[in-house]
């Protein structure tokens, strides 16, 4: 206990940082040395701070001795309780997922999430990956092929190709519609690449096979214009994240 | 209970052989006999042995009730929270991930107590209406001096009453730190807040306690 008689309380006590004193009383191991020194100086100079330090130490020691009521009942479980509480069905599954014995769902969740993220990256960054993506993919690849066949083809021919393909092509409507109206069609990435055919018969050969074109485009995009790869990757990512969520929930339930 | 024939030293010795259990973390037989006993009971309870689980309940119900009733200043609500915690422990035996059974049960009880505190915030009840109740048991020391016993009892009641007047968060942090002996980081993890928040709750809680008990500090000095 501190000597209460020899200290004085300066009028500035109200401005003293009392939490600093409490931290000093707690003997925090990670208490900043400068803060600790300041607190000690405060305690030395101010009687009220010294009293506070002594009181907080005394109270901390007294807390474990606080009166507690007697336990009012016995908490042992009856057979009926056990029957009611025994996990069955999905709870049993959840219990397994959260347990340490489950060495399967974590790697699976990591794998699915990684594949999903990678798939989304591939689908959304086709240029960066050299057009490997089917994704925006589908139309972009086709436009690349078309350009390679005839870089100098007149644009009105492209319109005719698109127009003839349009009835069989519900998916890339955004690309086909402007082409049919004579405007240069845009690829799915919106880069304005033209879909041009050759005037030496290649065009008619392609135009004669609209079903091939439709099939290729269908691989690349669904009715909403989204890449199949992106949809698939998104679904895998969701499943992976869902597994993480399931594990987290199971572990939370495990801790009550 | 532990005196039962099921828990003889022979059965514990048998368990020293590599046990066939799936949880790798619980296969390492701890040196601490209490922990070893608890793990045996948990393994048995996991296989459906209700008596083994009830042995655990009997072993820990007093300390767990003491922990929860310090956090939830209403005996009935604290009692319900402890019962719910044991139900939860039984339901989730499979998810016990090894380590200390006492810590696992403590954590479940702390969660149950915090749930009850949240409920109390929405539907507050009168704290400690039973203070005049004789079931309140201040710790009796070895000292037989009647005056000393009376002072201890008074101090014990005073601190208990003051604890009910600080916020639930501060109370939880102080109980876990001063009574249960957890460190700041453990409390932060258990209560889901940052280390700084835990320290702040403890420090402010202590300041509040001191303010509440300002007129009665002589009980605690010397």
């Amino acid at each position: 206990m501190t000597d209460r008689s020899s200290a004085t309380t300066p009028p500035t006590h109200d401005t003293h940082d009392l939490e600093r004193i409490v931290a000093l009383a707690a003997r925090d191991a990670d208490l900043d040395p400068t803060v600790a020194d300041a607190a000690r100086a405060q305690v030395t100079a101010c009687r009220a701070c010294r009293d506070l330090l002594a009181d907080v130490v005394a109270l901390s020691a007294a807390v474990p001795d606080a009166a507690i009521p007697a336990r009012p009942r016995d908490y042992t479980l009856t057979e009926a309780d056990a029957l009611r509480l025994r996990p069955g069905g999905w709870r049993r599954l959840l219990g397994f997922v959260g347990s340490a014995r489950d060495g399967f769902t974590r790697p699976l969740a990591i794998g699915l999430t990684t594949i999903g993220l990678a798939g989304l990256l591939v689908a959304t960054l086709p240029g960066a990956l050299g057009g490997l993506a089917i994704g925006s993919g589908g139309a972009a690849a086709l436009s690349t092929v078309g350009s390679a066949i005839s870089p100098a083809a007149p644009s009105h021919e492209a319109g005719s190709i698109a127009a003839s393909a349009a009835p069989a092509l519900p998916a890339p409507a955004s690309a086909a519609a402007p082409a049919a109206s004579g405007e240069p069609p845009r690829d799915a990435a919106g880069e304005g690449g033209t879909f041009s055919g050759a005037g030496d018969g290649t065009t008619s050969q392609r135009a004669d096979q609209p079903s091939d074109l439709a099939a290729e485009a269908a691989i690349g995009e669904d009715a909403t214009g989204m890449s199949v790869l992106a949809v698939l990757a998104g679904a895998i990512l969701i499943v992976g994240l869902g597994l993480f969520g399931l594990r987290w929930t199971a572990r939370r339930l495990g801790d009550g | 209970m532990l005196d039962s024939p099921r828990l003889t030293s022979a059965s514990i010795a048998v368990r020293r052989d590599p046990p066939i259990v799936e949880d790798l973390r619980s296969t390492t037989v701890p040196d601490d006999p209490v922990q070893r006993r608890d793990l045996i009971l948990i393994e048995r309870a996991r296989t459906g042995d209700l008596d083994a689980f009830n042995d655990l309940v009997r072993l820990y119900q007093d300390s767990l009730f003491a922990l929860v009733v310090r956090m939830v200043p209403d005996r009935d609500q604290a009692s319900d929270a402890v019962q719910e915690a044991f139900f939860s422990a039984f339901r989730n035996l499979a998810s016990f991930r090894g380590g200390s059974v006492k810590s696992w049960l403590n954590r479940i009880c702390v969660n149950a107590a915090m749930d009850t505190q949240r409920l109390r915030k929405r539907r507050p009840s009168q704290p400690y209406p039973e203070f005049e109740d004789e079931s309140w048991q201040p710790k009796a020391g070895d000292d037989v001096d009647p005056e000393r016993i009376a002072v201890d009892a008074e101090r014990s009641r005073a601190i208990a009453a003051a604890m009910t007047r600080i916020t639930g968060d501060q109370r939880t942090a102080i109980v876990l730190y001063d009574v249960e002996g957890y460190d700041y980081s453990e409390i932060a993890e258990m209560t889901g807040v940052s280390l700084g928040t835990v320290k702040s709750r403890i420090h402010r809680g202590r300041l509040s306690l001191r303010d509440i008990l300002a007129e009665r500090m002589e009980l605690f000095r010397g």
Side-chain angles (χ1 to χ4, degrees):
Chain A
M1 196 67 21
T2 56
D3 176 12
R4 293 167 186 284
S5 57
S6 61
T8 56
T9 302
T12 55
H13 173 70
D14 289 344
T15 63
H16 287 171
D17 184 353
L18 301 184
E19 278 198 46
R20 199 186 274 174
I21 307 292
V22 182
L24 187 69
R27 295 193 179 89
D28 288 353
D30 57 347
L31 184 63
D32 191 323
T34 54
V35 175
D37 288 344
R40 282 191 202 100
Q42 223 168 282
V43 167
T44 308
C46 174
R47 177 180 173 171
C49 287
R50 188 183 295 189
D51 286 350
L52 173 66
L53 179 69
D55 288 351
V56 169
V57 170
L59 284 174
S60 301
V63 165
D65 294 333
I68 52 167
R71 174 169 52 80
R73 63 177 191 255
D74 186 78
Y75 298 110
T76 50
L77 271 60
T78 63
E79 284 290 348
D81 290 332
L83 270 178
R84 181 170 56 84
L85 296 168
R86 225 158 239 144
W90 67 272
R91 262 200 166 277
R92 185 186 290 269
L93 178 71
L94 209 58
F96 173 76
V97 168
S99 76
R101 289 172 291 171
D102 169 29
F104 176 67
T105 55
R106 188 164 178 270
L108 183 65
I110 291 171
L112 288 176
T113 308
T114 309
I115 291 170
L117 282 174
L120 275 181
L121 273 176
V122 168
T124 53
L125 298 173
L129 294 162
L132 279 177
I134 303 173
S136 36
L142 286 177
S143 80
T144 309
V145 170
S147 305
I149 291 170
S150 175
S155 62
H156 64 85
E157 287 186 11
S160 68
I161 293 170
S164 61
L169 279 175
S174 59
S181 63
E183 293 171 16
R186 293 179 171 274
D187 62 27
E191 290 165 357
T194 54
F195 182 82
S196 55
D200 57 3
T202 316
T203 305
S204 60
Q205 193 180 353
R206 297 293 301 242
D208 289 340
Q209 298 169 347
S211 59
D212 290 348
L213 199 60
E216 282 185 69
I219 290 169
E221 298 186 349
D222 65 10
T224 60
M226 289 179 68
S227 139
V228 171
L229 180 60
V231 171
L232 201 62
I236 291 173
L237 181 64
I238 288 169
V239 172
L241 292 176
L243 263 180
F244 275 123
L246 193 67
R247 282 177 56 81
W248 182 83
T249 307
R251 293 167 85 94
R252 282 282 299 171
L253 282 175
D255 284 345
Chain B
M1 197 60 181
L2 288 178
D3 301 325
S4 68
R6 290 181 293 104
L7 279 177
T8 58
S9 58
S11 70
I12 291 173
V14 167
R15 280 283 177 162
R16 273 192 166 281
D17 295 330
I20 304 169
V21 286
E22 291 165 323
D23 186 345
L24 292 175
R25 272 171 284 190
S26 63
T27 56
T28 49
V29 181
D31 292 333
D32 181 2
V34 172
Q35 212 170 323
R36 198 163 62 228
R37 173 205 67 195
D38 290 350
L39 288 176
I40 292 167
L41 290 174
I42 278 276
E43 290 299 337
R44 286 183 177 171
R46 273 176 165 174
T47 61
D49 185 347
L50 179 61
D51 289 337
F53 184 80
N54 280 336
D55 281 343
L56 273 177
V57 173
R58 288 187 198 98
L59 281 168
Y60 289 111
Q61 60 184 350
D62 284 324
S63 64
L64 292 176
F65 177 75
L67 164 66
V68 173
V69 83
R70 283 186 167 108
M71 292 173 62
V72 181
D74 179 291
R75 189 172 46 179
D76 293 335
Q77 288 182 349
S79 181
D80 290 346
V82 174
Q83 183 72 81
E84 195 48 52
F86 278 122
F87 285 165
S88 180
F90 186 80
R91 267 196 304 260
N92 295 292
L93 277 170
S95 59
F96 173 70
R97 295 186 286 273
S100 162
V101 175
K102 185 174 189 293
S103 293
W104 179 63
L105 289 172
N106 267 10
R107 187 175 294 257
I108 293 174
C109 274
V110 167
N111 285 342
M114 289 198 300
D115 286 346
T116 305
Q117 281 180 346
R118 280 183 213 114
L119 204 68
R120 280 172 57 85
K121 273 183 187 169
R122 291 197 291 270
R123 279 176 278 164
S125 63
Q126 189 189 349
Y128 289 138
E130 319 86 338
F131 244 127
E132 302 307 316
D133 191 328
E134 287 180 358
S135 67
W136 283 84
Q137 295 180 338
K139 279 187 180 173
D142 298 332
D143 199 342
V144 289
D145 175 13
E147 190 183 343
R148 183 79 198 162
I149 290 173
V151 169
D152 284 349
E154 188 54 32
R155 185 168 55 199
S156 177
R157 285 198 180 90
I159 190 81
M163 288 287 283
T164 68
R165 294 175 59 190
I166 61 177
T167 70
D169 291 337
Q170 290 171 352
R171 191 166 49 242
T172 297
I174 286 178
V175 167
L176 292 177
Y177 188 81
D178 282 338
V179 182
E180 297 298 318
Y182 289 106
D183 63 30
Y184 292 134
S185 57
E186 287 172 321
I187 298 170
E189 206 227 318
M190 287 171 98
T191 54
V193 296
S194 70
L195 206 67
T197 305
V198 170
K199 285 182 185 179
S200 171
R201 283 176 181 175
I202 292 174
H203 296 167
R204 288 184 184 171
R206 285 176 174 168
L207 277 177
S208 300
L209 281 178
R210 202 253 191 174
D211 285 345
I212 293 164
L213 291 166
E215 303 297 318
R216 309 187 72 187
M217 278 312 297
E218 286 308 319
L219 276 173
F220 300 92
R221 290 172 184 156

